[in-house]
Amino acid sequence: MYFHKKRVIAMLLAGGQGSRLYVLTRKTAKPAVPFGGKYRIIDFPLSNCVNSGIDTVGILTQYQPLELNEYIGNGQPWGLNKTQSCAQVLPPYERNDKKSGWYEGTANAIYKNIDFVDRFDPDYVVVLSGDHIYKMDYNAMVEYHVAHDAACTIAVRTVPLAEASRFGILNTNPDNSIYEF
């Protein structure tokens, strides 16, 4: 099957258990948890993708995916069901090689779906969490990445020291390069 080359695609990690929200995630994936009435947490990164001009999104699911898969459907609510765009659910699956089975972390989930990435021959891949609630222009981050000829770009924000233990902490040099995680 022929797919048009893309400048940027997104890989949206939506397979986590969300154990800190167990009351809400006992029977559904954290990205499928309702937010603000009719919306779900996954609406944030999907809307950010569309508003950033990223029209091809691989959605990696694993934990309790039924409700999330039904909600995503063919991507129509976000306009990702057109001829040259897609919201493709990518569950773990069995193959006859080492790329099969359950996802064993973020990098492994991307690796096991490298065939999806290769279909579009993208210049850049944006890897996103399906359970973050924020507004961001991913295109601005990609342009920053390109302008700085970076090997990898990570979006972070400053947090008060009292909250630091809740997050992965990066320390950066004055030029924003990371020297410690």
Side-chain angles (χ1 to χ4, degrees):
M1 184 172 226
Y2 176 73
F3 295 89
H4 284 87
K5 178 176 176 43
K6 298 286 183 169
R7 180 169 187 259
V8 181
I9 69 166
M11 297 296 279
L12 185 63
L13 301 160
Q17 186 174 353
S19 56
R20 288 182 294 181
L21 296 177
Y22 185 70
V23 171
L24 300 172
T25 61
R26 186 171 54 90
K27 294 184 178 182
T28 191
K30 188 175 173 186
V33 169
F35 189 97
K38 67 179 184 173
Y39 300 104
R40 306 294 175 115
I41 291 174
I42 199 166
D43 283 313
F44 287 87
L46 284 172
S47 293
N48 286 339
C49 284
V50 171
N51 292 330
S52 300
I54 300 171
D55 64 2
T56 301
V57 183
I59 303 164
L60 292 77
T61 62
Q62 182 163 280
Y63 174 78
Q64 297 283 0
L66 180 62
E67 193 172 348
L68 182 60
N69 293 351
E70 288 174 346
Y71 184 73
I72 293 166
N74 68 354
Q76 185 271 332
W78 304 275
L80 295 173
N81 64 331
K82 301 194 174 25
T83 304
Q84 300 300 322
S85 64
C86 72
Q88 180 71 49
V89 173
L90 302 168
Y93 60 94
E94 284 294 320
R95 286 181 16 172
N96 290 327
D97 61 20
K98 293 181 181 182
K99 288 186 185 179
S100 66
W102 293 111
Y103 298 144
E104 300 170 25
T106 302
N108 181 256
I110 301 297
Y111 172 73
K112 287 181 177 178
N113 286 284
I114 203 69
D115 293 340
F116 176 82
V117 174
D118 288 345
R119 284 178 156 189
F120 300 98
D121 188 26
D123 297 322
Y124 305 99
V125 178
V126 177
V127 179
L128 306 167
S129 175
D131 63 2
H132 287 182
I133 299 171
Y134 61 87
K135 180 180 179 183
M136 183 175 178
D137 180 355
Y138 301 139
N139 192 48
M141 184 174 67
V142 170
E143 294 310 319
Y144 180 92
H145 175 86
V146 172
H148 291 84
D149 194 29
C152 177
T153 300
I154 301 172
V156 297
R157 63 180 217 136
T158 303
V159 296
L161 191 56
E163 293 184 37
S165 65
R166 296 178 42 218
F167 302 96
I169 302 300
L170 300 175
N171 286 313
T172 60
N173 294 311
D175 69 351
N176 288 329
S177 63
I178 299 167
Y179 68 85
E180 183 179 37
F181 180 77

